[in-house]
Amino acid sequence: MSAQVKSRSRVQDHGEVFTNEREVNAMLDMVKQETERIDSRFLEPACGDGNFLAEVLRRKLSVVRSRYRRSLLEYEKYAFVAIGSIYGVDILEDNTQECRDRLLSIVEEDYLPVCKKRPTPGFLEAIHFVIGKNILCGNALSLKTVDSSGADTDDPIIFCEWSLVGDKVKRRDYRLDELLEGSASNIQPPLFGLSGTPTSEWELDEETGSMIPKPIREYPLVALYEVGQHE
Ligand SMILES: C[S@@+](CC[C@H](N)C(=O)[O-])C[C@H]1O[C@@H](n2cnc3c(N)ncnc32)[C@H](O)[C@@H]1O
C-alpha cells in the first residue's frame, strides 16, 4: 500500500488523499456480492491510482480463476469481461497512468500462471487496450476530458461498453454525460442501464430492461484477440 498523501499541494489542489487498504476492503465488503460478480460494472469518478478498482479487479479475477482456470479460452473470455466492466476517471494524468499500470499488472499476475507463462497472442494487448479506454483522465464534475495542464477540453468523457457475443467482442461508445442524464434521482445508477425519462435518443436495453441513451458509435464484432488492433 502506497502512502495516503503524495504532497501537501496535491491535497490542497485536488483533495488527493488515498484510501488505505483496510477501509477499501471494508467498503467493498458492503457490496460484496457485486464485487464478486464478474460482469458487474464499477465506475469510480475520482479513482486516484486505483485503490478501489484494483481490489474490485482482484475479487472478480479470483472468481474467474476458480471457475475457469482449467480452460484457457474461458478464463480469457471472463477475465476480459471482468476488466471490461471496470471504469475510472481521475483529473491527474499521473494517477490515471498509475491506475492503468496497476490494473494491467493485476491481470498479468493472475493470468501468467493460468496460461503457464505462454500468453495467447493478442490477449494481453486486448486487456491493455481496454484499460486505456476505461481509465480516463478527465474532470468528473464537468464530464469533459482534461489536457496535460489539467484544464477541461471541449471533449466529453466517452466510455466503451464491451460485451461478448459468443467468442467475439462488441464495442459501443457512450458519452458519460448522456449516461448520467435523467438519473439524478438515482443514488448509484448502474452504468449502461439507467432509469430516466426516455427521449427519442434513448432505447430499451434488453439486458437490464431499462432505458439507456443510444451509443454515439458502434463497432463491428471483432475476435477478442484482435481488440487491441482496432482504434
Ligand atoms: C480523495 S482522493 C481519492 C483517490 C482514490 N479514490 C482513493 O480512494 O484512494 C481524490 C482523487 O480525486 C481526484 N480528483 C479531484 N478532483 C477531481 C475531478 N474534478 N474529477 C476527477 N478526479 C478528481 C484527485 O486527483 C484524487 O486522485
Side-chain angles (χ1 to χ4, degrees):
M1 167 85 206
S2 50
Q4 283 187 264
V5 170
K6 284 185 179 170
S7 73
R8 184 182 293 187
S9 64
R10 289 173 70 111
V11 177
Q12 283 167 347
D13 295 345
H14 301 289
E16 187 193 71
V17 179
F18 297 110
T19 309
N20 72 39
E21 199 176 331
R22 196 185 58 185
E23 284 157 355
V24 167
N25 276 304
M27 288 170 76
L28 290 180
D29 283 346
M30 295 167 82
V31 287
K32 193 165 187 296
Q33 278 191 324
E34 286 300 303
T35 63
E36 292 169 351
R37 191 159 66 81
I38 297 168
D39 61 349
S40 61
R41 291 194 180 98
F42 280 79
L43 163 63
E44 203 190 345
C47 65
D49 62 0
N51 288 323
F52 283 89
L53 299 181
E55 182 54 28
V56 170
L57 180 59
R58 274 191 212 99
R59 292 180 182 208
K60 285 172 170 238
L61 287 179
S62 150
V63 176
V64 173
R65 197 178 346 104
S66 70
R67 284 192 199 156
Y68 303 112
R69 65 177 178 277
R70 286 186 188 82
S71 160
L72 187 57
L73 175 64
E74 293 296 293
Y75 174 94
E76 289 169 344
K77 273 167 57 177
Y78 289 101
F80 181 89
V81 170
I83 190 68
S85 52
I86 289 178
Y87 299 86
V89 175
D90 201 277
I91 204 162
L92 294 176
E93 179 61 37
D94 59 350
N95 282 346
T96 311
Q97 195 52 50
E98 281 168 38
C99 181
R100 289 173 175 160
D101 294 345
R102 197 167 164 189
L103 297 180
L104 183 61
S105 333
I106 291 170
V107 176
E108 283 173 346
E109 264 173 43
D110 201 83
Y111 174 61
L112 289 176
V114 176
C115 71
K116 303 188 172 49
K117 298 194 178 161
R118 291 202 312 249
T120 306
F123 176 70
L124 286 171
E125 291 78 359
I127 298 294
H128 181 266
F129 183 81
V130 167
I131 291 173
K133 293 288 179 195
N134 283 18
I135 307 299
L136 296 179
C137 192
N139 184 335
L141 299 176
S142 65
L143 304 176
K144 307 270 191 204
T145 60
V146 295
D147 63 24
S148 52
S149 72
D152 280 12
T153 68
D154 291 333
D155 299 328
I157 293 174
I158 292 170
F159 277 133
C160 312
E161 177 194 42
W162 308 97
S163 43
L164 282 184
V165 182
D167 288 346
K168 305 245 167 157
V169 173
K170 176 80 182 164
R171 170 180 163 192
R172 301 199 297 173
D173 289 359
Y174 293 85
R175 288 173 58 135
L176 181 58
D177 54 359
E178 291 182 358
L179 282 169
L180 297 175
E181 192 183 310
S183 65
S185 59
N186 287 357
I187 294 167
Q188 184 63 64
L191 257 189
F192 308 116
L194 308 176
S195 55
T197 311
T199 67
S200 57
E201 297 303 315
W202 290 49
E203 63 186 16
L204 180 69
D205 179 44
E206 288 176 7
E207 188 186 325
T208 60
S210 54
M211 302 303 292
I212 59 170
K214 285 191 173 165
I216 58 164
R217 272 189 297 277
E218 289 206 47
Y219 296 78
L221 290 175
V222 296
L224 194 160
Y225 308 105
E226 289 171 11
V227 165
Q229 297 170 16
H230 302 270
E231 187 44 44

PDB file of all heavy atoms in Angstrom, residues 1 10 13-20 24 44-52 89-92 95 138-142, ligand 1:
ATOM      1  N   MET A   1       0.864  -1.195   0.000  1.00  0.00           N
ATOM      2  CA  MET A   1       0.000   0.000   0.000  1.00  0.00           C
ATOM      3  C   MET A   1       0.895   1.239   0.000  1.00  0.00           C
ATOM      4  O   MET A   1       1.784   1.387   0.820  1.00  0.00           O
ATOM      5  CB  MET A   1      -0.885  -0.068   1.231  1.00  0.00           C
ATOM      6  CG  MET A   1      -1.631   1.203   1.590  1.00  0.00           C
ATOM      7  SD  MET A   1      -3.154   1.354   0.696  1.00  0.00           S
ATOM      8  CE  MET A   1      -3.363   3.106   0.693  1.00  0.00           C
ATOM      9  N   ARG A  10      -0.830  18.697  -3.535  1.00  0.00           N
ATOM     10  CA  ARG A  10      -1.826  17.857  -4.225  1.00  0.00           C
ATOM     11  C   ARG A  10      -3.080  17.715  -3.362  1.00  0.00           C
ATOM     12  O   ARG A  10      -4.195  17.649  -3.880  1.00  0.00           O
ATOM     13  CB  ARG A  10      -1.219  16.486  -4.567  1.00  0.00           C
ATOM     14  CG  ARG A  10      -0.180  16.591  -5.688  1.00  0.00           C
ATOM     15  CD  ARG A  10       0.547  15.275  -5.901  1.00  0.00           C
ATOM     16  NE  ARG A  10      -0.272  14.238  -6.477  1.00  0.00           N
ATOM     17  CZ  ARG A  10      -0.122  13.747  -7.713  1.00  0.00           C
ATOM     18  NH1 ARG A  10       0.797  14.222  -8.523  1.00  0.00           N
ATOM     19  NH2 ARG A  10      -0.909  12.774  -8.137  1.00  0.00           N
ATOM     20  N   ASP A  13      -4.778  21.173  -3.810  1.00  0.00           N
ATOM     21  CA  ASP A  13      -5.300  21.457  -5.155  1.00  0.00           C
ATOM     22  C   ASP A  13      -6.361  20.468  -5.604  1.00  0.00           C
ATOM     23  O   ASP A  13      -7.278  20.820  -6.345  1.00  0.00           O
ATOM     24  CB  ASP A  13      -4.154  21.433  -6.186  1.00  0.00           C
ATOM     25  CG  ASP A  13      -3.150  22.548  -5.929  1.00  0.00           C
ATOM     26  OD1 ASP A  13      -3.498  23.477  -5.171  1.00  0.00           O
ATOM     27  OD2 ASP A  13      -2.031  22.477  -6.473  1.00  0.00           O
ATOM     28  N   HIS A  14      -6.217  19.209  -5.192  1.00  0.00           N
ATOM     29  CA  HIS A  14      -7.101  18.177  -5.752  1.00  0.00           C
ATOM     30  C   HIS A  14      -7.751  17.281  -4.712  1.00  0.00           C
ATOM     31  O   HIS A  14      -8.397  16.291  -5.065  1.00  0.00           O
ATOM     32  CB  HIS A  14      -6.310  17.296  -6.737  1.00  0.00           C
ATOM     33  CG  HIS A  14      -5.712  18.075  -7.859  1.00  0.00           C
ATOM     34  ND1 HIS A  14      -6.473  18.634  -8.865  1.00  0.00           N
ATOM     35  CD2 HIS A  14      -4.427  18.432  -8.120  1.00  0.00           C
ATOM     36  CE1 HIS A  14      -5.683  19.287  -9.700  1.00  0.00           C
ATOM     37  NE2 HIS A  14      -4.441  19.184  -9.272  1.00  0.00           N
ATOM     38  N   GLY A  15      -7.565  17.600  -3.437  1.00  0.00           N
ATOM     39  CA  GLY A  15      -8.162  16.759  -2.391  1.00  0.00           C
ATOM     40  C   GLY A  15      -7.629  15.342  -2.443  1.00  0.00           C
ATOM     41  O   GLY A  15      -8.335  14.380  -2.127  1.00  0.00           O
ATOM     42  N   GLU A  16      -6.341  15.214  -2.849  1.00  0.00           N
ATOM     43  CA  GLU A  16      -5.801  13.865  -3.068  1.00  0.00           C
ATOM     44  C   GLU A  16      -5.317  13.235  -1.758  1.00  0.00           C
ATOM     45  O   GLU A  16      -4.228  13.535  -1.279  1.00  0.00           O
ATOM     46  CB  GLU A  16      -4.651  13.919  -4.076  1.00  0.00           C
ATOM     47  CG  GLU A  16      -4.174  12.536  -4.468  1.00  0.00           C
ATOM     48  CD  GLU A  16      -2.858  12.611  -5.211  1.00  0.00           C
ATOM     49  OE1 GLU A  16      -1.830  12.916  -4.574  1.00  0.00           O
ATOM     50  OE2 GLU A  16      -2.864  12.364  -6.417  1.00  0.00           O
ATOM     51  N   VAL A  17      -6.152  12.392  -1.195  1.00  0.00           N
ATOM     52  CA  VAL A  17      -5.772  11.577  -0.032  1.00  0.00           C
ATOM     53  C   VAL A  17      -6.246  10.165  -0.353  1.00  0.00           C
ATOM     54  O   VAL A  17      -7.446   9.941  -0.538  1.00  0.00           O
ATOM     55  CB  VAL A  17      -6.455  12.074   1.270  1.00  0.00           C
ATOM     56  CG1 VAL A  17      -6.064  11.181   2.449  1.00  0.00           C
ATOM     57  CG2 VAL A  17      -6.099  13.518   1.547  1.00  0.00           C
ATOM     58  N   PHE A  18      -5.321   9.240  -0.465  1.00  0.00           N
ATOM     59  CA  PHE A  18      -5.680   7.888  -0.879  1.00  0.00           C
ATOM     60  C   PHE A  18      -6.279   7.090   0.282  1.00  0.00           C
ATOM     61  O   PHE A  18      -5.917   7.291   1.439  1.00  0.00           O
ATOM     62  CB  PHE A  18      -4.462   7.172  -1.463  1.00  0.00           C
ATOM     63  CG  PHE A  18      -3.952   7.830  -2.709  1.00  0.00           C
ATOM     64  CD1 PHE A  18      -2.740   8.510  -2.723  1.00  0.00           C
ATOM     65  CD2 PHE A  18      -4.697   7.808  -3.884  1.00  0.00           C
ATOM     66  CE1 PHE A  18      -2.279   9.144  -3.872  1.00  0.00           C
ATOM     67  CE2 PHE A  18      -4.253   8.431  -5.036  1.00  0.00           C
ATOM     68  CZ  PHE A  18      -3.040   9.102  -5.026  1.00  0.00           C
ATOM     69  N   THR A  19      -7.172   6.200  -0.069  1.00  0.00           N
ATOM     70  CA  THR A  19      -7.842   5.383   0.942  1.00  0.00           C
ATOM     71  C   THR A  19      -6.985   4.166   1.257  1.00  0.00           C
ATOM     72  O   THR A  19      -6.449   3.539   0.336  1.00  0.00           O
ATOM     73  CB  THR A  19      -9.214   4.913   0.406  1.00  0.00           C
ATOM     74  OG1 THR A  19      -9.914   6.063  -0.087  1.00  0.00           O
ATOM     75  CG2 THR A  19     -10.049   4.243   1.474  1.00  0.00           C
ATOM     76  N   ASN A  20      -6.854   3.832   2.554  1.00  0.00           N
ATOM     77  CA  ASN A  20      -5.996   2.684   2.860  1.00  0.00           C
ATOM     78  C   ASN A  20      -6.736   1.360   2.636  1.00  0.00           C
ATOM     79  O   ASN A  20      -7.964   1.318   2.518  1.00  0.00           O
ATOM     80  CB  ASN A  20      -5.365   2.804   4.254  1.00  0.00           C
ATOM     81  CG  ASN A  20      -6.364   2.589   5.357  1.00  0.00           C
ATOM     82  OD1 ASN A  20      -7.238   1.730   5.236  1.00  0.00           O
ATOM     83  ND2 ASN A  20      -6.252   3.355   6.425  1.00  0.00           N
ATOM     84  N   VAL A  24     -10.705   0.327   2.173  1.00  0.00           N
ATOM     85  CA  VAL A  24     -11.168  -0.109   0.848  1.00  0.00           C
ATOM     86  C   VAL A  24     -11.928  -1.430   0.985  1.00  0.00           C
ATOM     87  O   VAL A  24     -13.051  -1.590   0.501  1.00  0.00           O
ATOM     88  CB  VAL A  24      -9.977  -0.277  -0.132  1.00  0.00           C
ATOM     89  CG1 VAL A  24     -10.396  -1.026  -1.382  1.00  0.00           C
ATOM     90  CG2 VAL A  24      -9.382   1.084  -0.495  1.00  0.00           C
ATOM     91  N   GLU A  44     -15.503   4.508 -10.903  1.00  0.00           N
ATOM     92  CA  GLU A  44     -15.034   5.366  -9.820  1.00  0.00           C
ATOM     93  C   GLU A  44     -14.651   6.716 -10.408  1.00  0.00           C
ATOM     94  O   GLU A  44     -13.687   6.812 -11.169  1.00  0.00           O
ATOM     95  CB  GLU A  44     -13.861   4.746  -9.067  1.00  0.00           C
ATOM     96  CG  GLU A  44     -13.840   5.371  -7.689  1.00  0.00           C
ATOM     97  CD  GLU A  44     -12.618   5.070  -6.873  1.00  0.00           C
ATOM     98  OE1 GLU A  44     -11.867   4.149  -7.226  1.00  0.00           O
ATOM     99  OE2 GLU A  44     -12.430   5.785  -5.887  1.00  0.00           O
ATOM    100  N   PRO A  45     -15.421   7.774 -10.078  1.00  0.00           N
ATOM    101  CA  PRO A  45     -15.204   9.069 -10.743  1.00  0.00           C
ATOM    102  C   PRO A  45     -14.008   9.858 -10.225  1.00  0.00           C
ATOM    103  O   PRO A  45     -13.683  10.886 -10.793  1.00  0.00           O
ATOM    104  CB  PRO A  45     -16.518   9.820 -10.485  1.00  0.00           C
ATOM    105  CG  PRO A  45     -17.156   9.147  -9.321  1.00  0.00           C
ATOM    106  CD  PRO A  45     -16.601   7.763  -9.209  1.00  0.00           C
ATOM    107  N   ALA A  46     -13.360   9.446  -9.165  1.00  0.00           N
ATOM    108  CA  ALA A  46     -12.133  10.109  -8.686  1.00  0.00           C
ATOM    109  C   ALA A  46     -11.222   8.982  -8.225  1.00  0.00           C
ATOM    110  O   ALA A  46     -10.952   8.806  -7.054  1.00  0.00           O
ATOM    111  CB  ALA A  46     -12.464  11.077  -7.553  1.00  0.00           C
ATOM    112  N   CYS A  47     -10.738   8.205  -9.199  1.00  0.00           N
ATOM    113  CA  CYS A  47     -10.177   6.875  -8.883  1.00  0.00           C
ATOM    114  C   CYS A  47      -8.759   6.925  -8.342  1.00  0.00           C
ATOM    115  O   CYS A  47      -8.254   5.912  -7.848  1.00  0.00           O
ATOM    116  CB  CYS A  47     -10.247   5.958 -10.097  1.00  0.00           C
ATOM    117  SG  CYS A  47      -9.234   6.493 -11.483  1.00  0.00           S
ATOM    118  N   GLY A  48      -8.095   8.098  -8.426  1.00  0.00           N
ATOM    119  CA  GLY A  48      -6.718   8.160  -7.952  1.00  0.00           C
ATOM    120  C   GLY A  48      -5.876   7.121  -8.674  1.00  0.00           C
ATOM    121  O   GLY A  48      -5.997   6.918  -9.887  1.00  0.00           O
ATOM    122  N   ASP A  49      -5.012   6.430  -7.920  1.00  0.00           N
ATOM    123  CA  ASP A  49      -4.191   5.396  -8.565  1.00  0.00           C
ATOM    124  C   ASP A  49      -4.876   4.028  -8.495  1.00  0.00           C
ATOM    125  O   ASP A  49      -4.246   3.005  -8.744  1.00  0.00           O
ATOM    126  CB  ASP A  49      -2.776   5.363  -7.980  1.00  0.00           C
ATOM    127  CG  ASP A  49      -2.764   5.013  -6.499  1.00  0.00           C
ATOM    128  OD1 ASP A  49      -3.854   4.802  -5.921  1.00  0.00           O
ATOM    129  OD2 ASP A  49      -1.670   4.946  -5.916  1.00  0.00           O
ATOM    130  N   GLY A  50      -6.152   4.023  -8.147  1.00  0.00           N
ATOM    131  CA  GLY A  50      -6.949   2.806  -8.341  1.00  0.00           C
ATOM    132  C   GLY A  50      -7.102   1.898  -7.138  1.00  0.00           C
ATOM    133  O   GLY A  50      -7.301   0.692  -7.313  1.00  0.00           O
ATOM    134  N   ASN A  51      -7.068   2.455  -5.934  1.00  0.00           N
ATOM    135  CA  ASN A  51      -7.170   1.574  -4.758  1.00  0.00           C
ATOM    136  C   ASN A  51      -8.442   0.725  -4.763  1.00  0.00           C
ATOM    137  O   ASN A  51      -8.400  -0.469  -4.466  1.00  0.00           O
ATOM    138  CB  ASN A  51      -7.119   2.403  -3.468  1.00  0.00           C
ATOM    139  CG  ASN A  51      -5.727   2.938  -3.215  1.00  0.00           C
ATOM    140  OD1 ASN A  51      -4.740   2.260  -3.493  1.00  0.00           O
ATOM    141  ND2 ASN A  51      -5.633   4.158  -2.728  1.00  0.00           N
ATOM    142  N   PHE A  52      -9.564   1.346  -5.102  1.00  0.00           N
ATOM    143  CA  PHE A  52     -10.823   0.584  -5.107  1.00  0.00           C
ATOM    144  C   PHE A  52     -10.908  -0.320  -6.339  1.00  0.00           C
ATOM    145  O   PHE A  52     -11.286  -1.489  -6.240  1.00  0.00           O
ATOM    146  CB  PHE A  52     -12.027   1.537  -5.080  1.00  0.00           C
ATOM    147  CG  PHE A  52     -12.283   2.115  -3.715  1.00  0.00           C
ATOM    148  CD1 PHE A  52     -11.677   3.293  -3.320  1.00  0.00           C
ATOM    149  CD2 PHE A  52     -13.112   1.465  -2.812  1.00  0.00           C
ATOM    150  CE1 PHE A  52     -11.886   3.828  -2.055  1.00  0.00           C
ATOM    151  CE2 PHE A  52     -13.330   1.987  -1.542  1.00  0.00           C
ATOM    152  CZ  PHE A  52     -12.715   3.172  -1.155  1.00  0.00           C
ATOM    153  N   VAL A  89     -12.106   7.474 -13.621  1.00  0.00           N
ATOM    154  CA  VAL A  89     -11.729   8.809 -14.116  1.00  0.00           C
ATOM    155  C   VAL A  89     -10.897   9.464 -13.036  1.00  0.00           C
ATOM    156  O   VAL A  89     -11.226   9.358 -11.846  1.00  0.00           O
ATOM    157  CB  VAL A  89     -12.986   9.688 -14.353  1.00  0.00           C
ATOM    158  CG1 VAL A  89     -12.588  11.105 -14.741  1.00  0.00           C
ATOM    159  CG2 VAL A  89     -13.903   9.084 -15.404  1.00  0.00           C
ATOM    160  N   ASP A  90      -9.815  10.117 -13.421  1.00  0.00           N
ATOM    161  CA  ASP A  90      -9.104  10.983 -12.476  1.00  0.00           C
ATOM    162  C   ASP A  90      -8.600  12.200 -13.239  1.00  0.00           C
ATOM    163  O   ASP A  90      -8.293  12.116 -14.425  1.00  0.00           O
ATOM    164  CB  ASP A  90      -7.942  10.281 -11.759  1.00  0.00           C
ATOM    165  CG  ASP A  90      -7.578  11.009 -10.470  1.00  0.00           C
ATOM    166  OD1 ASP A  90      -6.818  12.004 -10.539  1.00  0.00           O
ATOM    167  OD2 ASP A  90      -8.086  10.618  -9.390  1.00  0.00           O
ATOM    168  N   ILE A  91      -8.545  13.314 -12.516  1.00  0.00           N
ATOM    169  CA  ILE A  91      -8.183  14.578 -13.167  1.00  0.00           C
ATOM    170  C   ILE A  91      -6.671  14.692 -13.380  1.00  0.00           C
ATOM    171  O   ILE A  91      -6.230  15.486 -14.203  1.00  0.00           O
ATOM    172  CB  ILE A  91      -8.745  15.754 -12.330  1.00  0.00           C
ATOM    173  CG1 ILE A  91      -8.925  17.000 -13.187  1.00  0.00           C
ATOM    174  CG2 ILE A  91      -7.887  16.023 -11.098  1.00  0.00           C
ATOM    175  CD1 ILE A  91      -9.851  18.036 -12.572  1.00  0.00           C
ATOM    176  N   LEU A  92      -5.900  13.877 -12.662  1.00  0.00           N
ATOM    177  CA  LEU A  92      -4.431  13.962 -12.781  1.00  0.00           C
ATOM    178  C   LEU A  92      -3.900  12.832 -13.662  1.00  0.00           C
ATOM    179  O   LEU A  92      -4.196  11.648 -13.427  1.00  0.00           O
ATOM    180  CB  LEU A  92      -3.784  13.894 -11.388  1.00  0.00           C
ATOM    181  CG  LEU A  92      -4.095  15.097 -10.482  1.00  0.00           C
ATOM    182  CD1 LEU A  92      -3.495  14.891  -9.084  1.00  0.00           C
ATOM    183  CD2 LEU A  92      -3.562  16.389 -11.094  1.00  0.00           C
ATOM    184  N   ASN A  95      -1.942   9.940 -11.960  1.00  0.00           N
ATOM    185  CA  ASN A  95      -2.814   8.976 -11.271  1.00  0.00           C
ATOM    186  C   ASN A  95      -3.478   8.036 -12.269  1.00  0.00           C
ATOM    187  O   ASN A  95      -3.569   6.827 -12.058  1.00  0.00           O
ATOM    188  CB  ASN A  95      -3.912   9.704 -10.486  1.00  0.00           C
ATOM    189  CG  ASN A  95      -3.386  10.279  -9.183  1.00  0.00           C
ATOM    190  OD1 ASN A  95      -2.298   9.925  -8.748  1.00  0.00           O
ATOM    191  ND2 ASN A  95      -4.157  11.152  -8.575  1.00  0.00           N
ATOM    192  N   GLY A 138      -9.869  12.808 -16.800  1.00  0.00           N
ATOM    193  CA  GLY A 138     -10.979  13.725 -17.060  1.00  0.00           C
ATOM    194  C   GLY A 138     -11.453  14.376 -15.783  1.00  0.00           C
ATOM    195  O   GLY A 138     -10.975  14.073 -14.685  1.00  0.00           O
ATOM    196  N   ASN A 139     -12.401  15.291 -15.978  1.00  0.00           N
ATOM    197  CA  ASN A 139     -12.986  16.018 -14.853  1.00  0.00           C
ATOM    198  C   ASN A 139     -14.370  15.421 -14.590  1.00  0.00           C
ATOM    199  O   ASN A 139     -15.276  15.542 -15.419  1.00  0.00           O
ATOM    200  CB  ASN A 139     -13.094  17.501 -15.230  1.00  0.00           C
ATOM    201  CG  ASN A 139     -13.603  18.337 -14.086  1.00  0.00           C
ATOM    202  OD1 ASN A 139     -14.291  17.851 -13.186  1.00  0.00           O
ATOM    203  ND2 ASN A 139     -13.287  19.612 -14.118  1.00  0.00           N
ATOM    204  N   ALA A 140     -14.490  14.778 -13.453  1.00  0.00           N
ATOM    205  CA  ALA A 140     -15.746  14.071 -13.158  1.00  0.00           C
ATOM    206  C   ALA A 140     -16.878  15.039 -12.823  1.00  0.00           C
ATOM    207  O   ALA A 140     -18.025  14.616 -12.712  1.00  0.00           O
ATOM    208  CB  ALA A 140     -15.523  13.100 -12.000  1.00  0.00           C
ATOM    209  N   LEU A 141     -16.562  16.318 -12.671  1.00  0.00           N
ATOM    210  CA  LEU A 141     -17.635  17.298 -12.417  1.00  0.00           C
ATOM    211  C   LEU A 141     -18.185  17.853 -13.729  1.00  0.00           C
ATOM    212  O   LEU A 141     -19.388  17.905 -13.942  1.00  0.00           O
ATOM    213  CB  LEU A 141     -17.109  18.435 -11.525  1.00  0.00           C
ATOM    214  CG  LEU A 141     -16.624  17.970 -10.139  1.00  0.00           C
ATOM    215  CD1 LEU A 141     -16.035  19.141  -9.358  1.00  0.00           C
ATOM    216  CD2 LEU A 141     -17.767  17.331  -9.353  1.00  0.00           C
ATOM    217  N   SER A 142     -17.274  18.241 -14.636  1.00  0.00           N
ATOM    218  CA  SER A 142     -17.744  18.779 -15.926  1.00  0.00           C
ATOM    219  C   SER A 142     -18.038  17.655 -16.925  1.00  0.00           C
ATOM    220  O   SER A 142     -18.682  17.882 -17.937  1.00  0.00           O
ATOM    221  CB  SER A 142     -16.675  19.698 -16.524  1.00  0.00           C
ATOM    222  OG  SER A 142     -15.516  18.929 -16.844  1.00  0.00           O
TER     223      SER A 142
HETATM  224  C1  LIG B   1      -9.526  11.660  -2.012  1.00  0.00           C
HETATM  225  S1  LIG B   1      -8.620  11.159  -3.456  1.00  0.00           S
HETATM  226  C2  LIG B   1      -9.276   9.523  -3.626  1.00  0.00           C
HETATM  227  C3  LIG B   1      -8.496   8.639  -4.554  1.00  0.00           C
HETATM  228  C4  LIG B   1      -8.994   7.192  -4.573  1.00  0.00           C
HETATM  229  N1  LIG B   1     -10.386   7.149  -4.915  1.00  0.00           N
HETATM  230  C5  LIG B   1      -8.789   6.515  -3.242  1.00  0.00           C
HETATM  231  O1  LIG B   1      -9.785   6.370  -2.525  1.00  0.00           O
HETATM  232  O2  LIG B   1      -7.657   6.129  -2.910  1.00  0.00           O
HETATM  233  C6  LIG B   1      -9.453  12.106  -4.681  1.00  0.00           C
HETATM  234  C7  LIG B   1      -8.987  11.901  -6.104  1.00  0.00           C
HETATM  235  O3  LIG B   1      -9.853  12.659  -6.949  1.00  0.00           O
HETATM  236  C8  LIG B   1      -9.116  13.271  -7.965  1.00  0.00           C
HETATM  237  N2  LIG B   1      -9.923  14.425  -8.386  1.00  0.00           N
HETATM  238  C9  LIG B   1     -10.065  15.628  -7.774  1.00  0.00           C
HETATM  239  N3  LIG B   1     -10.939  16.397  -8.443  1.00  0.00           N
HETATM  240  C10 LIG B   1     -11.385  15.656  -9.487  1.00  0.00           C
HETATM  241  C11 LIG B   1     -12.306  15.893 -10.542  1.00  0.00           C
HETATM  242  N4  LIG B   1     -12.976  17.050 -10.673  1.00  0.00           N
HETATM  243  N5  LIG B   1     -12.506  14.908 -11.457  1.00  0.00           N
HETATM  244  C12 LIG B   1     -11.843  13.733 -11.366  1.00  0.00           C
HETATM  245  N6  LIG B   1     -10.964  13.460 -10.390  1.00  0.00           N
HETATM  246  C13 LIG B   1     -10.734  14.405  -9.457  1.00  0.00           C
HETATM  247  C14 LIG B   1      -7.769  13.576  -7.348  1.00  0.00           C
HETATM  248  O4  LIG B   1      -6.753  13.672  -8.319  1.00  0.00           O
HETATM  249  C15 LIG B   1      -7.594  12.373  -6.412  1.00  0.00           C
HETATM  250  O5  LIG B   1      -6.891  11.335  -7.061  1.00  0.00           O
END
